[in-house]
Amino acid sequence: MKLAIPYISIFLMINACAPMPGGRFLKGVDHITELEDIPELIIHDVNIFQSTAICNYLLFQERPFLALIAMGGVPACCDVEIDGKGGVKKCEVWAPGDAQGFFMKHELEHCKGWADKLY
């Protein structure tokens, strides 16, 4: 069991590592929406424990299998609503740190309409 703990820790850290979104749009988006142009932008600047709990709960509701694979390693997330015209009408973010932190920057790129590069 002692050997399994470092491997589990490494797996959880890898889940939390993701390159900055870009290169392709979210489904239903065909252009970037600047943050100031999003009619409803809600940012929850919470600590890492709160954001992880909320994001894993939201992921489990939407994609239970993916939540099990991630094993609780989702430290930040956002809920993006498309406006039907190829842009973003609402984005709600849960992430630790101010706007300069990596997690917050990553999620705000999703708010603009960018999809993750790896999946």
Side-chain angles (χ1 to χ4, degrees):
M1 182 64 178
K2 287 183 181 180
L3 287 175
I5 292 172
Y7 293 114
I8 292 171
S9 299
I10 290 169
F11 181 75
L12 291 175
M13 287 187 295
I14 289 171
N15 277 332
C17 296
M20 203 56 74
R24 65 185 176 93
F25 295 120
L26 295 169
K27 186 177 181 179
V29 174
D30 63 16
H31 64 274
I32 292 301
T33 305
E34 295 301 326
L35 296 176
E36 57 270 9
D37 296 331
I38 298 172
E40 197 172 345
L41 178 61
I42 304 164
I43 298 174
H44 302 281
D45 181 357
V46 294
N47 69 47
I48 189 80
F49 301 107
Q50 292 169 319
S51 64
T52 300
I54 292 166
C55 293
N56 284 285
Y57 174 75
L58 293 173
L59 179 60
F60 186 77
Q61 283 186 320
E62 188 174 319
R63 298 180 184 165
F65 185 70
L66 184 57
L68 293 173
I69 290 172
M71 292 180 53
V74 181
C77 60
C78 65
D79 183 20
V80 179
E81 289 185 28
I82 310 307
D83 64 8
K85 302 173 199 163
V88 175
K89 73 175 178 180
K90 179 182 178 184
C91 186
E92 189 165 6
V93 178
W94 294 269
D98 58 24
Q100 302 307 312
F102 177 80
F103 291 128
M104 188 66 76
K105 283 183 181 179
H106 181 101
E107 298 309 325
L108 290 173
E109 288 299 307
H110 287 309
C111 289
K112 293 178 182 179
W114 292 114
D116 278 314
K117 291 181 178 179
L118 300 178
Y119 50 90

